[in-house]
Amino acid sequence: MTAVTPFPADGRPLLEVRQLSQQYFLRRQKLFAPRPILKVLQDIDFAVRPGEAVGLVGESGSGKTTLTRMLTGVEKPHEGHVVFDGVDVWSGGEAHRRLFRRSVQVVLQNPRSSLDPRMRVGTSLLEPLRSLKIEGDHAARVLEVLDQVGLQKSALERFPHEFSGGQLQRIAIARALMPNPRVLIADEPVSALDVSIQAQVLNLLKDLVRDLGLGLVFIAHDLSVVAYTTSKVYVMSSGKIVEVGKPLDLFRNPSAEATQNLVGAVLSVESGLAGNALA
């Protein structure tokens, strides 16, 4: 394995990117002209530690999706490092990449997109264990995870269409937990849910961070949701991290223009009724 100089042992991140940049070559405009380059990420530093919930916010097109692809190993960066547990993912060897794929799992915005509608929930939950070739008592693991997300054993015999949106998101979280990950990346996990259900899913994620010591990367547009769920927020704009801090500090006293724009787009109940954006 190729080791990367670690942070101090008592504060080393589980997952981080260091000076990460990403670019794509576009189609030539003329036959012999050089291919234009689109720079999507520039000099990104980002980290999440055990038992820490970190928020990632930014307007559409800011680079959040591309950074997520870097954090999950879907894409290799043009420059910089993606580091899991102190070892570079792309130069650490196949054994470490297998560990990385097992240890970093994603919860998507729409739980229906991660569940086969023709497959019973019990079978869907077993899929990650089979695809990652994880051995052990699979039946016991399924029951353990169901308990962690607050679902009954009877859910295993039912199909996705038999559940509400909130229940489906719990199932999607359970599926992500099956390989016993160390980092959970939640990409807009409550934006498709009714407001009355959002708090239940957010509380579940907070409990998992606390009880399992997970690192949570929470990606969202709703700043109130981010402030409720996370203890640290990175603000992205035009492919760069423009501000980092505690959520309430950032949202009450934003200094970067991108943060100010995000805060200005949020309506509280009182100011919304008055027709004014959050100050």
Side-chain angles (χ1 to χ4, degrees):
M1 293 184 180
T2 302
V4 175
T5 304
F7 282 78
D10 59 347
R12 189 176 72 181
L14 270 175
L15 179 64
E16 59 178 317
V17 298
R18 301 184 188 175
Q19 289 297 292
L20 183 141
S21 298
Q22 182 66 316
Q23 63 183 36
Y24 302 115
F25 287 98
L26 304 179
R27 183 177 298 176
R28 290 185 178 89
Q29 301 301 312
K30 296 182 180 179
L31 181 60
F32 296 107
R35 294 179 64 183
I37 295 175
L38 175 64
K39 294 184 178 180
V40 183
L41 299 178
Q42 300 178 55
D43 302 323
I44 299 290
D45 289 317
F46 180 93
V48 58
R49 291 167 172 79
E52 180 183 41
V54 172
L56 180 63
V57 301
E59 71 275 11
S60 297
S62 62
K64 300 190 305 298
T65 299
T66 304
L67 179 54
T68 301
R69 292 172 70 84
M70 303 289 106
L71 290 170
T72 54
V74 174
E75 290 185 18
K76 186 176 182 178
H78 174 66
E79 292 180 345
H81 298 282
V82 180
V83 182
F84 173 71
D85 205 16
V87 178
D88 188 287
V89 170
W90 293 100
S91 60
E94 183 57 34
H96 185 70
R97 279 195 291 275
R98 286 197 300 269
L99 176 63
F100 167 75
R101 286 193 293 269
R102 170 177 175 169
S103 300
V104 179
Q105 296 292 313
V106 181
V107 178
L108 299 174
Q109 177 180 3
N110 183 0
R112 297 185 189 277
S113 65
S114 58
L115 298 170
D116 189 332
R118 302 163 299 178
M119 192 178 290
R120 296 182 190 274
V121 166
T123 306
S124 291
L125 292 181
L126 291 174
E127 283 298 300
L129 301 182
R130 292 168 177 167
S131 62
L132 293 169
K133 299 180 181 179
I134 298 174
E135 299 180 351
D137 189 340
H138 290 182
R141 179 62 183 161
V142 167
L143 295 178
E144 180 183 19
V145 168
L146 279 182
D147 182 64
Q148 289 171 347
V149 301
L151 291 174
Q152 300 296 319
K153 183 180 178 180
S154 58
L156 298 176
E157 298 301 319
R158 297 163 64 187
F159 291 92
H161 71 269
E162 300 179 65
F163 295 92
S164 67
Q167 290 172 322
L168 280 177
Q169 195 59 286
R170 287 177 181 269
I171 293 169
I173 293 172
R175 195 171 189 271
L177 291 175
M178 285 299 296
N180 199 19
R182 299 175 65 189
V183 178
L184 204 61
I185 298 179
D187 189 357
E188 297 279 4
V190 298
S191 62
L193 303 179
D194 293 340
V195 174
S196 59
I197 304 299
Q198 288 183 6
Q200 298 177 19
V201 175
L202 294 177
N203 285 330
L204 170 61
L205 290 172
K206 292 176 70 173
D207 290 344
L208 292 173
V209 170
R210 181 195 64 210
D211 298 340
L212 303 180
L214 290 174
L216 174 67
V217 179
F218 191 95
I219 304 165
H221 287 88
D222 189 331
L223 300 190
S224 62
V225 167
V226 173
Y228 180 75
T229 311
T230 67
S231 59
K232 184 178 182 180
V233 179
Y234 292 79
V235 182
M236 290 195 72
S237 179
S238 301
K240 298 179 180 180
I241 300 291
V242 296
E243 198 165 3
V244 183
K246 295 182 179 180
L248 292 183
D249 292 341
L250 286 185
F251 303 152
R252 286 174 175 168
N253 301 293
S255 59
E257 182 180 357
T259 313
Q260 294 171 4
N261 291 338
L262 288 172
V263 172
V266 176
L267 293 177
S268 65
V269 173
E270 294 81 4
S271 61
L273 291 173
N276 300 316
L278 179 66

